[in-house]
Amino acid sequence: MSIFPKISLRLEVENYLKAGFMNEEVVSVLGKEEAERKFETLLHKLSHPPSFTTVRVNTHLASVQHVKSLLFDELQKQFNGLSFPILQHPDLQDVLLIPVIGPRNNIKQQPCEVIVGAQCGNAVLRGAHVYVPGIVSASKFMKGGDVVSVYSDIKGKCKKGAKEFDGTKIFLGNGISELSRKEIFSRLPELKGVGVRMTDPVYLSPSFDNVLPSYLFLQNLPSAVVSHVLDPQPGEKILDLCAAPGGKTTHIAALMHDQGEVIALDKISNKVEKIKQNALLLGLNSIRAFCFDGTKALKLDMVKDTDGEPPFLPESFDRILLDAPCSGLGQRPNMACTWTLKEVTSYQPLQRKLFTVAAELLKPGGVLVYSTCTVTLAENEEQVAWALKTLPHLQLQRQDPQVGGEGMLGAGLSSEQLKRLQRFDPCVVPSQDSDTGSLRDARIEDTMWLANKDCIGFFIAKFVKCKST
């Protein structure tokens, strides 16, 4: 059931997206009415959380069954004995799925209110508590221990420290305030912990804050598919060109049994530190992370490589993951995006620069996987069409596992080429309520279909380099 409004976008951005989803090729196949219905469904899906929380087991340190058993005990504690099913994905053996229960419509709203920013609100819908930095406003007399209703300020109109807010706000559920209003807005920089502990959220989803941190990595389903599609092998040299925060980097290292070398690049230093922290936490020693701009990762002079640090000589890597910077318009839940059309469309040139560098750094016979967490045609299928035309030594490959749907029409790709792509498009799923009873009664095939489809918007393409450049 759709209980929130569709994602709030600038009109120019919504029209741009609509033009992509209702392009001539799509309309000629689906018809105008069905194409428009699918697009509107997508906009509503983007403002709601996926049907499942996905966690990846760090198989380098423990078996899936052992971690599944530990997680079951953790969830029993979190939900006071309420039994949450934990499902192992049949095609991604290191992935566990926990259903998200909701929307829950019988929650009584309280007179004491806490307003949070949109990003904080999105995190709450996926199981997080409310941390102090995310709080924008709190009722005048709020004390620690009060039962409060939490709302998301999706338009960003609430003033920091306000005592009440009558603008557009979306109810996220109830919780217990850990601090008083005075303490929250005391401006003490060390106040970064939990401000409201959610007890009765609209969407009931486990919190993974410090839950089995060495054994589990919270990751969207398509993000876990990417590393399996790359299929890294022990002993290989792999490049993750845009690696932060390191979810896919650490997954690649685990799939290689931590044997070989995984080079991770990101141009923001604190994000590189996060990659290193995640590698250490997960016990992975094959990862080397560098603060470096991926567009400059190709060494232009043919002098000998120096200690394996960037930039690199051409044809240095067996496999490369290009999880490209993108407009992020597939992320869920996302109730509002304030970006201009110029910002949304700014990523295509950068992605092409990175694509060109990746193709040069790849060995002949090597594999390049391109992925984004957005739904735009320009950043996905159009980039594949451009790469096949501009980089003729790259050939589009079939993917295994094939969990998402095929690519979208509109970029001039053939039917066979579209089948070799994976587009995760949540608009194919009808809106529905989810509770533990309906999940118990559902066939496993239907449950897995829902998990595979009702996830974030995402895109994957796989290429092989057929000859030296």
Side-chain angles (χ1 to χ4, degrees):
M1 181 174 124
S2 180
I3 63 160
F4 304 137
K6 69 183 184 182
I7 181 174
S8 173
L9 301 166
R10 288 176 184 253
L11 184 60
E12 59 178 2
V13 172
E14 184 168 332
N15 288 340
Y16 167 74
L17 280 177
K18 189 172 184 178
F21 276 80
M22 295 188 64
N23 67 70
E24 283 185 24
E25 281 189 76
V26 169
V27 171
S28 67
V29 172
L30 296 181
K32 186 177 179 182
E33 192 173 309
E34 176 60 11
E36 188 159 13
R37 185 199 64 79
K38 285 188 73 174
F39 175 65
E40 287 297 322
T41 301
L42 173 68
L43 297 184
H44 278 91
K45 282 285 180 184
L46 289 175
S47 66
H48 292 70
S51 289
F52 290 80
T53 299
T54 311
V55 288
R56 173 174 58 79
V57 175
N58 178 21
T59 52
H60 176 60
L61 292 184
S63 73
V64 175
Q65 287 309 313
H66 176 60
V67 175
K68 186 178 177 182
S69 174
L70 294 175
L71 180 58
F72 181 82
D73 293 340
E74 285 285 340
L75 296 187
Q76 288 271 297
K77 287 181 209 166
Q78 265 193 46
F79 295 108
N80 299 317
L82 178 65
S83 183
F84 265 77
I86 302 172
L87 309 170
Q88 185 176 6
H89 197 288
D91 300 317
L92 309 162
Q93 292 293 303
D94 55 356
V95 168
L96 298 176
L97 302 159
I98 303 100
V100 174
I101 306 302
R104 302 159 73 233
N105 300 311
N106 56 349
I107 303 169
K108 185 180 178 183
Q109 295 179 36
Q110 302 296 310
C112 195
E113 296 183 359
V114 169
I115 310 296
V116 301
Q119 290 300 109
C120 177
N122 294 341
V124 168
L125 288 174
R126 296 205 74 170
H129 297 297
V130 175
Y131 286 77
V132 172
I135 297 176
V136 182
S137 159
S139 292
K140 185 175 182 180
F141 301 109
M142 188 184 82
K143 304 181 299 296
D146 283 353
V147 178
V148 300
S149 285
V150 177
Y151 297 84
S152 178
D153 170 26
I154 63 169
K155 305 243 175 171
K157 299 292 186 183
C158 184
K159 289 183 179 177
K160 186 80 171 179
K163 293 173 183 173
E164 57 182 38
F165 177 60
D166 294 325
T168 304
K169 57 188 180 185
I170 304 295
F171 179 58
L172 305 176
N174 294 339
I176 307 290
S177 61
E178 297 280 308
L179 301 162
S180 69
R181 172 193 160 80
K182 186 177 179 181
E183 289 169 315
I184 288 169
F185 295 112
S186 65
R187 303 191 184 279
L188 290 174
E190 62 269 20
L191 275 181
K192 293 180 181 175
V194 173
V196 178
R197 194 163 298 279
M198 297 300 296
T199 54
D200 214 3
V202 170
Y203 278 93
L204 195 60
S205 184
S207 168
F208 280 89
D209 185 23
N210 211 30
V211 172
L212 307 174
S214 293
Y215 291 152
L216 290 176
F217 199 97
L218 193 59
Q219 199 166 26
N220 287 302
L221 179 69
S223 299
V225 173
V226 167
S227 301
H228 283 281
V229 169
L230 186 67
D231 193 26
Q233 299 300 310
E236 289 184 330
K237 188 175 181 180
I238 314 285
L239 175 62
D240 189 348
L241 198 53
C242 305
K248 299 177 188 72
T249 310
T250 54
H251 195 187
I252 289 165
L255 290 173
M256 296 166 66
H257 309 296
D258 206 25
Q259 297 169 23
E261 189 176 11
V262 184
I263 303 290
L265 303 185
D266 200 276
K267 65 180 184 179
I268 300 174
S269 59
N270 64 337
K271 290 187 175 183
V272 174
E273 287 308 307
K274 186 67 177 173
I275 297 169
K276 291 177 180 178
Q277 288 168 15
N278 281 327
L280 188 65
L281 184 64
L282 299 172
L284 296 162
N285 300 310
S286 58
I287 295 168
R288 298 178 70 200
F290 300 97
C291 185
F292 201 84
D293 183 348
T295 63
K296 298 171 183 173
L298 179 65
K299 197 174 182 70
L300 297 174
D301 57 70
M302 298 301 286
V303 180
K304 194 176 187 313
D305 226 346
T306 54
D307 297 326
E309 296 189 3
F312 306 105
L313 293 172
E315 302 183 348
S316 293
F317 294 93
D318 298 292
R319 297 172 200 262
I320 296 177
L321 172 60
L322 172 51
D323 185 46
C326 69
S327 58
L329 289 172
Q331 292 289 5
R332 296 175 62 195
N334 186 5
M335 293 191 190
C337 176
T338 59
W339 282 14
T340 64
L341 181 59
K342 185 178 179 180
E343 288 172 307
V344 168
T345 56
S346 67
Y347 287 92
Q348 195 183 63
L350 172 61
Q351 290 159 354
R352 291 182 179 182
K353 279 184 188 176
L354 290 163
F355 230 128
T356 304
V357 169
E360 290 287 344
L361 290 173
L362 191 63
K363 292 178 182 178
V367 171
L368 167 61
V369 170
Y370 172 80
S371 62
T372 74
C373 59
T374 193
V375 295
T376 71
L377 191 68
E379 295 171 85
N380 295 326
E381 288 84 358
E382 282 185 14
Q383 296 295 53
V384 171
W386 170 86
L388 293 174
K389 183 179 179 182
T390 312
L391 308 168
H393 47 285
L394 293 182
Q395 290 182 347
L396 196 60
Q397 297 291 293
R398 289 193 175 278
Q399 299 182 38
D400 182 36
Q402 183 82 26
V403 177
E406 62 184 50
M408 187 165 76
L409 293 162
L413 297 171
S414 70
S415 174
E416 180 57 35
Q417 287 170 328
L418 292 175
K419 286 174 185 170
R420 295 185 177 197
L421 305 174
Q422 292 200 68
R423 175 178 270 266
F424 292 81
D425 184 355
C427 77
V428 301
V429 183
S431 294
Q432 58 189 53
D433 294 2
S434 179
D435 57 48
T436 49
S438 65
L439 287 160
R440 270 196 304 270
D441 297 337
R443 296 187 314 149
I444 189 65
E445 296 90 344
D446 295 337
T447 302
M448 283 304 143
W449 180 88
L450 182 62
N452 290 343
K453 303 301 180 189
D454 194 16
C455 55
I456 66 167
F458 205 87
F459 179 84
I460 310 172
K462 179 181 180 181
F463 303 85
V464 69
K465 186 172 180 176
C466 56
K467 62 182 179 181
S468 175
T469 52

